[in-house]
Amino acid sequence: MIHHSRGRWAAGAIMLTTALALTACSAPAPGDSTSSAGSLTVWVDADRAAVLKDAAAEFTKESGVEVKLVQKDFADIQEQFIAQVPTGKGPDITIGAHDWLGNFVTNGVVAPVELGDKASDFQDVAVTAMSFDGVTYGVPYSIENIAMLRNTALAPTAPTSYDDMIAMGKSAGTEFPFIVQVGPESDPYHLYPFQTSFGAPVFGTNADGSYNAGELTIGNAGGDQFATWLAQEGAVGNLNISLTGDLAKEKFNAGASPFFLTGPWNVADAQAAGIDVAVDPIPAPGPNAAQPFVGVQGFFVSAKSTNTLAASEFLTNYIATESVQTALYEVGKRAPALTASFEAASADPIIAGFGEVGATAVPMPNIPEMGSVWQFWGVTEAAIIGGQADPVGLWQKMAADVQGAI
């Protein structure tokens, strides 16, 4: 997945201009297309805009290439990028999530990015996530995953196993031994580390770590064991379909459990509620390690960009620097993808704790076939947790339904 560097671009090959524009609008204005020689148009969300404004200004000063930042709602970017790039009206570069990559590649809207020697500067999971069929398509900037939050007043030490966690939770005398959001349609994302501990990933992987859509492993023997475990945990109340995301957060912040399986997005509110929070590895109920999904965000280059050399230079020699990656971390509080920035951020024990779990996590599948999994996965888990008969039969029907949809 690591390719030869195309080297630094030649500034003289590109028409040079000297302006920097920050355009905050929902769609590119006329003339903002990638056909404007000597400029780059970059789609960015509001939170990242201020940091990129500084990086863009520096890039323009050094290269003379104008950088136009177009502010977008993150939730709209994937659909708009796929729609606009083929018409030539999309940006040269867009911010995005790694699990959009399969759709981007199959729609032919992204170009490979050659990290070269810089690939080793990033955490391995970040480069893997930004790759598809062995080719790297994005420059990562952040990594995010769930871990086990612990209320240290209720549980002074980390549990050594899933059973130990349940025992510690019960001895604390709280309403719940541990909390994880499930909800009426379940939450496969939050339950996935338990599933992987039984050796039942959704898909198999190729030698390079990429997902193999032709190998659906969710319905293997480990999947049957996980389904049986879901039924048992639902029966004793450790998993509860009435516990939505909002309610799970509310309960933990009220001291109703020592443990909360969640992401960094819920840490600040827990601390504001007066809880001294520690971040621990996820205890595994099965024989293998509990591996959550990791989500990676980064930047992609349009397949229709007329300034791919300048785009590559901006990403690999500006976005992929410690100063910019650290600045992006400081505004978003997502662990940096660049190892040097991550190590600096890890002075915060919360970041260090999530990072330790994330280092052995698995990327959310970025292949298009993943879209066929979600529609059957959660409702099946909810039915099993809710007590419907024959958990293994339900799980196998789900696997067959997914295979049929793929």
Side-chain angles (χ1 to χ4, degrees), residues 145-148 178-183 186-196 226 229-230 239 243-245 248 260-266 282 290-293 364 374 377 381:
N145 54 270
I146 60 174
M148 193 64 73
F178 92 105
I179 288 173
V180 60
Q181 69 179 66
V182 180
S186 190
D187 193 313
Y189 171 84
H190 280 87
L191 297 181
Y192 194 63
F194 298 141
Q195 182 175 323
T196 56
F226 174 62
W229 178 84
L230 284 177
L239 299 176
L243 212 53
T244 61
F260 183 20
L261 180 56
T262 190
W265 50 86
N266 278 330
I282 302 166
Q291 293 179 290
F293 281 133
M364 177 92 72
W374 296 108
W377 198 7
E381 287 184 349

Side-chain angles (χ1 to χ4, degrees), residues 352-371:
F354 278 106
E356 182 182 336
V357 175
T360 58
V362 291
M364 177 92 72
N366 59 13
I367 52 178
E369 290 82 359
M370 188 64 190

